[in-house]
Amino acid sequence: MKAATALPIVVGVDGSEPSLRAVDWAADEAALRGAPLRLVYASLWERYEGAAPGQDLGKPSEEVTAGDIVRTAAQRARLRRAELEISTDVLPEEPEYALVREGREAAALVLGTRGRSGFVEMLLGSVSLTVAARADCPVIVLRGSHDNQVRAGARGRVVVGVGEKAADSAALRFAVQEAKLRHATLDAVRAWRCPAHETTDHPLLAGEPARLHESHASEVLDKALEDAPADVDLNRRTVEGPARRILLDASHQADLLVVGARRNPGHLGLQLGRVAHAVLHHAACAVAVVPEQK
């Protein structure tokens, strides 16, 4: 039963097929959480990513109204999850501002993306990137071309990247929650590297710097997971290599990849680290960017 105070899952819709697949994911997410679903169409979206909603709603673009877009999305959500409490809104403004504001009172934001000019494999849409970098709540971005990934439980695995400052990590808490809701395995991954200047050719010291760095990575991971619930199926992994590559490789076996993004209060620019930026552009599954306060 839905809790009376449950924050909604908010999904941005623009009438495109990627955004309708985001509705599917958001409906499943809301049902898992017992939360209401809120569908938001910011009507200036096409200014940013060339949205042509008529192509996906069976009408010429000039005949598609804002009402058509949100009605179609709501009907799709109801067919998928009839038990949901669903609300809709049309906001006559730029989508990144509207969605970031919506995220202040949301459990999570869900967005589809297809990038610009159809290059879905290469470029992340500007709206998704901006919202992921600025929202106050977790933002789940579905890679537009990975249709086979947009199904809850397709692989039964959630992956979370564990950073150096992992104590009391919002990203880790979110990943644990998602794994529990989905009855999925949680892969907690800590990447580590041995700086080149620390290598040595001395036979008695060969490999020692690497062992020290690997040991430190294990300690960070153990510390981060010491309060993990016992009922979560948990895999702990330390892997040598760049975090971006390690997590992108892991995304091919996951339903959801979770990364943190440090927020600096008062900073007005995009607040995404290199790892979050890379996985948003190239992951093979949905990506959740969870804000971490500095």
Side-chain angles (χ1 to χ4, degrees):
M1 180 179 296
K2 178 181 72 65
T5 58
L7 292 174
I9 299 296
V10 176
V11 55
V13 297
D14 66 0
S16 67
E17 183 58 28
S19 83
L20 293 177
R21 289 198 298 270
V23 169
D24 292 345
W25 181 287
D28 290 344
E29 185 76 19
L32 286 171
R33 292 170 175 258
L37 178 66
R38 179 167 167 78
L39 307 169
V40 175
Y41 172 48
S43 59
L44 299 184
W45 206 309
E46 65 274 10
R47 180 181 298 178
Y48 290 79
E49 295 181 11
Q55 296 177 1
D56 294 319
L57 299 184
K59 292 184 179 182
S61 294
E62 62 272 13
E63 296 181 16
V64 174
T65 67
D68 289 328
I69 291 172
V70 295
R71 275 194 300 271
T72 298
Q75 289 168 1
R76 181 159 174 150
R78 289 191 182 98
L79 286 172
R80 189 173 184 91
R81 296 286 187 173
E83 74 276 19
L84 288 179
E85 175 189 327
I86 299 174
S87 62
T88 64
D89 208 349
V90 175
L91 305 174
E93 57 186 309
E94 287 82 358
E96 73 269 42
Y97 299 131
L99 291 168
V100 168
R101 188 180 64 251
E102 289 285 327
R104 295 171 188 159
E105 298 294 334
L109 286 166
V110 182
L111 302 173
T113 183
R114 52 188 163 166
R116 291 183 177 273
S117 305
F119 290 105
V120 291
E121 297 284 357
M122 299 172 61
L123 298 175
L124 185 72
S126 61
V127 171
S128 299
L129 187 64
T130 301
V131 174
R134 290 180 174 165
D136 294 329
C137 70
V139 177
I140 301 172
V141 178
L142 308 184
R143 297 279 296 157
S145 60
H146 294 282
D147 299 18
N148 63 318
Q149 297 284 319
V150 188
R151 296 196 308 273
R155 299 184 184 274
R157 190 170 298 275
V158 173
V159 174
V160 59
V162 177
E164 182 69 24
K165 298 178 180 179
D168 196 32
S169 164
L172 183 55
R173 291 196 301 273
F174 182 84
V176 168
Q177 180 184 38
E178 287 293 308
K180 290 184 68 173
L181 289 171
R182 299 167 184 277
H183 303 289
T185 297
L186 177 61
D187 279 356
V189 181
R190 170 66 182 164
W192 63 274
R193 301 183 75 179
C194 180
H197 66 83
E198 293 186 16
T199 60
T200 177
D201 294 327
H202 194 289
L204 295 179
L205 297 178
E208 185 62 24
R211 282 193 294 270
L212 291 174
H213 285 282
E214 183 176 16
S215 177
H216 175 69
S218 295
E219 291 173 2
V220 170
L221 192 57
D222 288 343
K223 179 67 174 176
L225 298 173
E226 63 183 3
D227 294 325
D231 58 347
V232 173
D233 183 12
L234 181 62
N235 284 335
R236 306 164 185 244
R237 291 201 293 139
T238 59
V239 186
E240 182 179 10
R244 286 169 287 181
R245 177 176 60 79
I246 300 303
L247 293 177
L248 287 173
D249 287 347
S251 73
H252 288 274
Q253 286 76 48
D255 297 312
L256 180 66
L257 171 61
V258 182
V259 294
R262 292 283 165 188
R263 296 289 195 257
N264 185 7
H267 179 70
L268 299 179
L270 296 183
Q271 299 188 59
L272 279 178
R274 289 178 296 176
V275 172
H277 194 275
V279 299
L280 279 169
H281 279 278
H282 302 294
C285 69
V287 175
V289 177
V290 181
E292 304 271 14
Q293 295 301 324
K294 286 191 174 181

